[in-house]
């Protein structure tokens, strides 16, 4: 089984052609919208913030592995394990994950699924 433990392994994965196709497919499936913002009732991904030119700031979307690449290499290319997130939500999510991971011995695998 291919592993994605080191930065080098991850970099190789994220630079691979199959991943680039998959990422494009996930963005299309999710309409280029942040799925977390959507769940929280924000319809659009933008913040109404304007940049210096007076146009809307573009928010970078990230295709996120719901189950971490490192822990679940078998789900690396599983569309069901991927979703579009804005940078903001993505950071928040990973913060939460890392914080909880350190003190929660057993995480209920289904807790997140049931929430939505
Ligand atoms: Zn978001
Ligand atoms: Zn992520």
């Amino acid at each position: 089984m291919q592993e994605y433990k080191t930065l080098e392994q991850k970099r190789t994965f994220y630079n691979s052609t199959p991943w680039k196709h998959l990422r494009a497919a996930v963005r299309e499936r999710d309409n280029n919208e942040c799925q977390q913002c959507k769940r929280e009732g924000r319809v659009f991904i933008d913040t109404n913030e304007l940049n210096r030119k007076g146009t809307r700031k573009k928010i970078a979307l990230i295709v996120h592995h719901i189950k971490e690449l490192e822990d679940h290499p078998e789900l690396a290319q599983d569309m069901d394990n991927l979703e579009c997130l804005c940078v903001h939500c993505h950071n928040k999510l990973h913060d939460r994950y890392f914080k909880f991971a350190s003190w929660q011995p057993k995480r209920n695998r289904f807790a997140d699924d049931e929430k939505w």
Side-chain angles (χ1 to χ4, degrees):
M1 163 97 52
Q2 175 70 48
E3 285 200 324
Y4 307 103
K5 300 275 187 206
T6 68
L7 205 67
E8 199 49 47
Q9 286 169 330
K10 285 181 203 170
R11 196 174 293 149
T12 306
F13 172 76
Y14 285 121
N15 282 327
S16 72
T17 308
W19 168 250
K20 283 173 186 164
H21 286 301
L22 197 64
R23 194 177 55 185
V26 172
R27 278 166 174 256
E28 200 172 306
R29 183 198 63 190
D30 292 346
N31 299 316
N32 282 301
E33 286 172 350
C34 171
Q35 299 304 292
Q36 182 65 25
C37 286
K38 218 170 157 181
R39 282 191 290 257
E40 289 176 6
R42 293 189 292 269
V43 179
F44 296 108
I45 57 162
D46 56 64
T47 57
N48 292 326
E49 272 180 78
L50 302 177
N51 66 17
R52 268 193 269 151
K53 283 184 203 152
T55 49
R56 280 243 170 94
K57 257 192 202 170
K58 239 190 170 173
I59 296 202
L61 282 175
I62 287 163
V63 175
H64 163 70
H65 284 90
I66 297 164
K67 296 204 166 98
E68 297 293 318
L69 186 61
E70 208 174 308
D71 302 331
H72 297 273
E74 77 280 8
L75 297 175
Q77 300 195 45
D78 187 333
M79 286 276 287
D80 291 337
N81 189 43
L82 296 167
E83 66 179 1
C84 267
L85 290 178
C86 67
V87 175
H88 181 71
C89 289
H90 190 243
N91 287 344
K92 245 166 83 180
L93 221 105
H94 278 276
D95 250 345
R96 194 173 65 184
Y97 177 82
F98 290 129
K99 235 180 265 165
F100 279 9
S102 57
W103 57 265
Q104 277 198 341
K106 261 189 200 165
R107 232 166 85 89
N108 182 349
R109 286 181 59 202
F110 301 106
D112 289 339
D113 295 339
E114 285 169 351
K115 210 167 156 189
W116 314 116

